[in-house]
Amino acid sequence: MYDETLAARLNDRLGADVTSKRMFGGLVYLRDGKIIAGVYGSELLIRVGKEHRDATLTRPGTRPFMMGEQKTAAFVLLEPAHIDEWFPE
């Protein structure tokens, strides 16, 4: 289950070249077949790349995206209140 209102807000900001697909119990957005963002529960899922993950996690409103007990290498979760910082209107 994912926040459909948040998904609609994100969808409006990503552009026409992005498609969506249900995955990981949420909704992800893909560009050229690669996940770039998504909605996971009531949070945003953001692909930042493994080289930027640790630095990104120092920013307000972020936390690791976990798969089981493991932090994912390329993704973080973002509180919805910070959507404008990442995806301006």
Side-chain angles (χ1 to χ4, degrees):
M1 198 71 170
Y2 61 91
D3 183 328
E4 292 183 19
T5 302
L6 181 58
R9 286 177 64 198
L10 183 57
N11 188 61
D12 288 345
R13 295 165 188 233
L14 290 177
D17 64 334
V18 174
T19 59
S20 62
K21 181 178 183 179
R22 291 177 190 239
M23 289 177 79
F24 307 123
L27 184 70
V28 297
Y29 293 91
L30 302 102
R31 182 174 286 132
D32 298 325
K34 294 184 180 179
I35 299 172
I36 59 165
V39 179
Y40 187 74
S42 62
E43 295 179 286
L44 295 162
L45 174 69
I46 310 294
R47 175 184 224 112
V48 295
K50 64 182 178 181
E51 67 277 6
H52 300 291
R53 185 196 64 193
D54 292 340
T56 300
L57 289 171
T58 65
R59 293 179 63 172
T62 62
R63 68 183 181 90
F65 179 57
M66 307 291 286
M67 294 293 273
E69 301 286 321
Q70 190 95 357
K71 288 181 189 176
T72 61
F75 295 92
V76 299
L77 290 173
L78 177 68
E79 295 171 1
H82 298 274
I83 191 172
D84 292 330
E85 298 164 34
W86 291 79
F87 303 99
E89 289 187 76

